[in-house]
Amino acid sequence: MEYGPAPESDKNAMEFLDRHKRSFGLFINGKWVTRKETFPAVSPATGQVLAQVAEASAGDVDAAVKAAQKALPGWVKAGGHERAKYLYALARQVQKHSRLFAVLESLDNGKAIRETRDIDIPLVARHFYHHAGWAQLMDSELKDYKEIGVVGQIIPWNFPLLMLSWKIAPALAMGNTLVLKPAEQTSLTALLFAEICRNIGLPDGVVNIITGHGSVGEALVNHPGVQKIAFTGSTEVGRIIRKNTAGSGKKLSLELGGKSPFIVFEDADLDSVVEGVVDAIWFNQGQVCCAGSRLLAQESIAEKLYEKLKVRLQKLVVGNSLDKGIDMGAIVSPEQLKTISSFVDKGKNEGNEVWQLENIPSAGCFFPPTLFLNVSPASVIAQEEIFGPVLVAMTFRSHQEAVKLANNTRYGLAASLWTENINLALDVAPKIKAGTIWINTTNVFDASSGFGGYRESGFGREGGLEGLMEYVKPKEEKAFSEKTFAFKAAGSSKAGTGGLDRTPKMYIGGKQARPDSGYSLQVVNPAGQVVGEVGEGSRKDIRNAVEAAQANSKWAENTGHARAQVLYYLAENLSARKKEFEERLVETCGYSAKDAILEVARSVERIFTYAAYADKYDGRVHSTISRNVTLAMNEPLGVLGIVCPDEFPLLGLVSTVAPAIALGNSVVVIPSPASPLSATDFYQVLDTSDVPGGTVNIITGPGEPLAAELARHFDVEGIWYFGSAEGSKNVELLSADSMKRSWVNYGKHYDWLNNPLEKEFLRKASEVKNIWIPYGA
Ligand code: NDP
């Protein structure tokens, strides 16, 4: 029996559009500002022009930022409880108008009403409710943090209102004001949202919504009045934004593309898997950043699974977005349809076996659900983000091979694991480089759980406590200062001890290694005396050090307790040799004896502190909705590059290395370029303290070129840089290609002696992975 269409009425949506005379202005400072220049909002399912939308100019961006700046002090002063009431009111309004929002979203984007009604809009409301709670609790739960200021937010077209809520709710909760730019293809629900902001009496200028093309986003990114940019979209644009904000001090979070694996082990329940695949890749027409677009099936069950999928695929219904009976709606735009078609043509030309739904509407932006079988992992369709309803399947034999294939991508957004064996799932989950792991489920989201990527999928998290951290900064503003905290040179330095000419080597993989260049550099103390020489490190030394760090993955697999033991031992051995280190500081930095004693004592204490944290920096279990346990686990970044400050040559080294290795990272360190001899002395302490080779690698030499090599290196997952303002900018610029996390000081000085940001070092040394485990008998 054929099902007939079951259309949802568009009456309320049309009334809303008519009320605005089918023409929308910009929402700046609580008012609608009309503009002559407009562009059409088109329904992709029918080609109907729904309305005209204003194109903002650079002047409009400036006006919106100024409105947000003006509103900021009042919004901060309002306090958490007042803000909570506004967020609660927004949640209520979204719920009250949920049908209108759902219909408008489906019309504008082409997505199925079943999804906007049951998934997008309820999640939007949930986001505002959840963050109303965080606003209320900010003073108690985030008492060491404050708002960042004016936030610029740029969102894509695939989940227009949902992405708006992911951006706006945490920003407002934490006391920021904002300017948001929706994607040019899908502005309408953002404009309806602007209307409800007015309806609830949100103070003018707290939320500003400006519509337009990519150039509007670019002007927002470059505006000097914006303190943070939050972006979701393509990796390509994310990279441009990283480069454009380099050196500006703007905080940045980027949620970018993906090519997420959907791994099916042989003991999985295949009927559930088939429905999982439907949700993974045919949900929202596959236009989902975390879509399970690579099916990895264990060889023993692959054929059986493929047969089931072929049958299921032919049962999917593609049609008008307002038809309640459809599974898949329209692709967002003719351009996106073209992109998808061209990828599929490439896949076909490569000779891959392909299965597609035969029956789809002939007019409008529709594309059939598509399944490619037995695809090579190196194929274009297996590597590139297609952002459409296209699944590529390949097989694996062992669990190890599954992990390797899963990680064989430049992205790292999500993964889905299917097995009836929870032990296997929890063994594999930490090994996959992705921010979210779903076990026996897929594409589930909740406001209380963080979402975000690794590698070229970007950085920062949205949702939950980890997401809030993107919208606050430490209250302790004096941690970084224009003035140095360093001790003054006492002026009576003692020159080198003479005797044997000993030039310390590099320290790579637990062994001393000659610099590849064969050159050395003189080390001069503040009195101008040569106190020794060190090797001049170069690109090749960095490469060898990164390889050694990468080969040391076992360090991360140790328990926190085991790492703590090693760190305590390190502190003990440093303490045993404190005299030697004190003398070295007097000799190389011209310190007084008292200052030298203090720096060494603080260094020992600092290692103790991070040894203590090694088994205490726990994750959380998020209370997500719908019968799930969601484990938010703190994971090491992997290989971390560290460029130490010139000042505090010993304390700067241990204050950065200790938190990084305490959490399981392996590090490549450039010690104080001005005074590296304390670091080279430190090799012996490392050697005698059971620190496994490759955990700490030390390359001496010129700071800036070595920092640039670390920033460029694709296998370095994060970089900390404590040097000049120019060097900070360079590190941020060069980090853009590999999308690595960077933490720089913009030429300011940190108070190493007192370490006011003690816990911040742990946060910057780790990333949160959310593992979703559904339950129910
Ligand atoms: P973009 O990354 O271009 O767009 C995302 C947002 O950024 C839009 O609001 C866009 O404006 C804006 N933008 C564009 N250029 C700039 C710039 N230089 N500076 C600041 N903001 C800018 O994605 P597309 O819409 O072009 O889609 C292209 C591909 O991106 C898709 O095929 C898909 O692979 C991927 N994508 C990934 C998403 C994700 O969630 N990870 C979401 C959407 C797309 P405007 O739309 O007006 O150009």
Side-chain angles (χ1 to χ4, degrees):
M1 195 176 80
E2 288 293 310
Y3 288 105
E8 173 73 33
S9 166
D10 64 3
K11 185 168 162 279
N12 287 354
M14 292 303 161
E15 275 172 14
F16 163 74
L17 296 173
D18 289 339
R19 200 157 18 91
H20 284 266
K21 302 195 171 53
R22 304 252 169 183
S23 176
F24 288 88
L26 310 167
F27 185 68
I28 297 177
N29 204 25
K31 290 161 200 74
W32 291 109
V33 182
T34 52
R35 284 289 165 258
K36 275 212 190 78
E37 205 175 322
T38 61
F39 60 93
V42 181
S43 176
T46 60
Q48 183 193 2
V49 174
L50 298 168
Q52 291 294 323
V53 179
E55 174 80 34
S57 64
D60 294 323
V61 174
D62 187 50
V65 172
K66 290 210 166 99
Q69 281 174 324
K70 200 165 136 234
L72 183 67
W75 188 242
V76 173
K77 204 163 158 232
H81 177 56
E82 278 307 302
R83 294 199 297 270
K85 286 196 286 186
Y86 283 114
L87 283 157
Y88 174 75
L90 287 170
R92 296 283 299 131
Q93 285 288 315
V94 169
Q95 278 185 319
K96 265 192 202 160
H97 300 294
S98 60
R99 194 49 65 101
L100 171 58
F101 270 117
V103 173
L104 195 61
E105 194 81 303
S106 285
L107 281 170
D108 200 18
N109 169 283
K111 57 168 74 188
I113 184 74
R114 192 175 50 83
E115 289 176 7
T116 54
R117 184 195 60 200
D118 299 345
I119 299 171
D120 294 52
I121 310 306
L123 271 173
V124 171
R126 160 88 181 129
H127 233 79
F128 282 104
Y129 277 122
H130 181 76
H131 286 90
W134 280 122
Q136 181 70 35
L137 299 178
M138 185 177 181
D139 286 346
S140 52
E141 293 290 313
L142 290 119
K143 56 179 179 303
D144 297 331
Y145 293 92
K146 60 184 286 197
E147 77 290 342
I148 294 174
V150 174
V151 179
Q153 306 184 315
I154 300 164
I155 56 171
W157 42 256
N158 54 343
F159 292 93
L161 193 71
L162 186 59
M163 288 303 104
L164 174 147
S165 71
W166 281 23
K167 298 273 181 293
I168 289 188
L172 293 188
M174 296 295 102
N176 304 279
T177 56
L178 61 97
V179 179
L180 176 133
K181 188 198 98 65
E184 143 239 339
Q185 297 85 344
T186 52
S187 308
L188 296 181
T189 46
L191 296 166
L192 172 56
F193 181 82
E195 192 169 277
I196 70 166
C197 288
R198 252 167 78 127
N199 293 349
I200 64 155
L202 191 73
D204 292 347
V206 168
V207 169
N208 302 276
I209 295 185
I210 50 171
T211 46
H213 288 75
S215 55
V216 179
E218 199 175 341
L220 186 56
V221 167
N222 295 335
H223 198 291
V226 171
Q227 277 90 39
K228 183 213 155 71
I229 294 291
F231 171 81
T232 300
S234 62
T235 296
E236 190 192 344
V237 173
R239 198 169 273 133
I240 294 172
I241 292 176
R242 168 70 291 184
K243 289 186 177 166
N244 284 349
T245 52
S248 67
K250 284 176 191 167
K251 192 163 172 159
L252 189 59
S253 49
L254 299 172
E255 200 267 273
L256 310 173
K259 191 77 184 176
S260 298
F262 185 104
I263 308 174
V264 185
F265 293 99
E266 61 191 356
D267 65 345
D269 169 4
L270 293 190
D271 291 322
S272 303
V273 167
V274 169
E275 292 316 305
V277 168
V278 173
D279 288 341
I281 189 66
W282 294 317
F283 162 61
N284 204 33
Q285 298 68 251
Q287 303 167 136
V288 182
C289 49
C290 50
S293 51
R294 284 187 298 146
L295 172 63
L296 313 182
Q298 194 150 14
E299 208 171 75
S300 48
I301 48 90
E303 280 310 319
K304 198 168 160 198
L305 175 60
Y306 294 166
E307 288 313 310
K308 282 177 184 279
L309 279 174
K310 287 183 216 165
V311 172
R312 182 69 177 93
L313 180 140
Q314 291 303 342
K315 292 209 163 81
L316 292 170
V317 182
V318 178
N320 191 306
S321 48
L322 287 192
D323 185 342
K324 284 177 268 193
I326 62 153
D327 297 299
M328 258 179 53
I331 301 298
V332 72
S333 66
E335 292 75 31
Q336 188 62 17
L337 186 63
K338 220 166 114 194
T339 308
I340 299 168
S341 305
S342 100
F343 271 118
V344 169
D345 289 346
K346 274 186 200 144
K348 286 179 180 169
N349 292 340
E350 279 178 348
N352 294 298
E353 181 185 347
V354 62
W355 295 82
Q356 289 186 299
L357 174 65
E358 281 144 23
N359 193 8
I360 64 164
S362 51
C365 281
F366 294 96
F367 196 85
T370 301
L371 170 63
F372 280 105
L373 295 180
N374 301 317
V375 176
S376 141
S379 144
V380 174
I381 53 170
Q383 287 295 327
E384 297 297 323
E385 181 180 47
I386 299 174
F387 225 64
V390 183
L391 180 64
V392 299
M394 57 198 89
T395 57
F396 66 89
R397 286 188 179 163
S398 65
H399 303 160
Q400 291 82 345
E401 194 191 357
V403 170
K404 275 200 181 133
L405 276 174
N407 288 334
N408 177 25
T409 166
R410 57 199 173 97
Y411 296 111
L413 199 51
S416 194
L417 309 180
W418 294 76
T419 167
E420 293 300 295
N421 181 348
I422 189 71
N423 303 328
L424 170 64
L426 289 177
D427 182 50
V428 171
K431 294 179 180 150
I432 294 179
K433 277 265 173 211
T436 300
I437 309 282
W438 291 296
I439 296 175
N440 292 331
T441 182
T442 194
N443 274 338
V444 279
F445 310 95
D446 183 55
S448 67
S449 169
F451 181 83
Y454 285 85
R455 300 171 167 173
E456 292 188 41
S457 293
F459 45 77
R461 295 287 180 262
E462 297 189 286
L465 183 60
E466 54 261 44
L468 289 182
M469 300 314 288
E470 299 298 326
Y471 287 98
V472 291
K473 61 180 179 188
K475 274 185 184 160
E476 184 53 83
E477 304 228 35
K478 287 198 217 96
F480 284 96
S481 127
E482 299 289 345
K483 283 204 306 219
T484 179
F485 293 89
F487 299 127
K488 288 208 172 54
S492 60
S493 315
K494 181 160 58 87
T497 47
L500 277 180
D501 175 16
R502 199 176 66 87
T503 302
K505 298 178 184 145
M506 312 281 164
Y507 190 68
I508 299 176
K511 295 193 185 69
Q512 302 207 17
R514 277 180 211 293
D516 182 80
S517 68
Y519 294 119
S520 54
L521 294 170
Q522 285 190 333
V523 181
V524 180
N525 73 7
Q529 298 159 316
V530 176
V531 288
E533 293 196 349
V534 290
E536 181 173 353
S538 65
R539 189 173 62 85
K540 283 197 179 158
D541 301 307
I542 295 283
R543 192 193 59 194
N544 294 342
V546 173
E547 267 174 28
Q550 262 193 317
N552 181 43
S553 57
K554 286 265 176 290
W555 177 247
E557 289 164 23
N558 275 326
T559 61
H561 172 68
R563 289 195 296 266
Q565 299 274 288
V566 172
L567 278 158
Y568 284 126
Y569 195 23
L570 191 66
E572 190 185 320
N573 285 328
L574 176 61
S575 182
R577 302 172 72 148
K578 63 182 176 196
K579 275 265 155 301
E580 201 182 304
F581 278 91
E582 287 158 10
E583 278 166 19
R584 184 62 106 179
L585 289 171
V586 170
E587 179 194 26
T588 57
C589 302
Y591 282 2
S592 68
K594 191 168 135 254
D595 289 343
I597 289 169
L598 182 59
E599 176 159 348
V600 177
R602 284 288 161 91
S603 298
V604 173
E605 188 187 334
R606 193 74 27 98
I607 302 175
F608 255 72
T609 299
Y610 289 114
Y613 273 124
D615 61 353
K616 293 172 194 68
Y617 193 63
D618 288 336
R620 291 166 77 98
V621 179
H622 288 311
S623 302
T624 45
I625 49 171
S626 66
R627 295 160 74 79
N628 276 279
V629 172
T630 306
L631 309 176
M633 294 184 20
N634 291 325
E635 288 193 336
L637 297 183
V639 178
L640 185 64
I642 299 175
V643 184
C644 294
D646 268 340
E647 68 263 33
F648 295 107
L650 181 66
L651 187 56
L653 177 85
V654 301
S655 302
T656 48
V657 169
I661 66 172
L663 296 193
N665 295 282
S666 294
V667 296
V668 177
V669 191
I670 319 298
S672 162
S675 198
L677 293 173
S678 301
T680 58
D681 293 344
F682 198 66
Y683 300 168
Q684 282 132 30
V685 185
L686 289 167
D687 276 341
T688 51
S689 307
D690 295 343
V691 179
T695 309
V696 180
N697 304 277
I698 301 179
I699 306 292
T700 52
E704 303 301 342
L706 292 177
E709 291 307 333
L710 279 175
R712 268 193 210 106
H713 203 300
F714 267 71
D715 293 326
V716 175
E717 267 106 351
I719 180 164
W720 297 351
Y721 171 91
F722 297 97
S724 66
E726 200 46 40
S728 298
K729 179 177 178 180
N730 207 29
V731 162
E732 289 190 332
L733 263 179
L734 296 174
S735 296
D737 284 333
S738 58
M739 252 334 140
K740 64 171 61 72
R741 286 120 181 84
S742 56
W743 187 26
V744 302
N745 64 335
Y746 302 110
K748 292 194 175 162
H749 301 274
Y750 181 64
D751 181 1
W752 296 103
L753 216 48
N754 296 305
N755 201 25
L757 302 183
E758 181 176 286
K759 257 187 130 169
E760 203 64 9
F761 280 83
L762 297 167
R763 231 171 52 72
K764 302 275 188 198
S766 57
E767 195 55 276
V768 184
K769 171 179 277 175
N770 278 280
I771 303 176
W772 290 67
I773 310 166
Y775 58 84

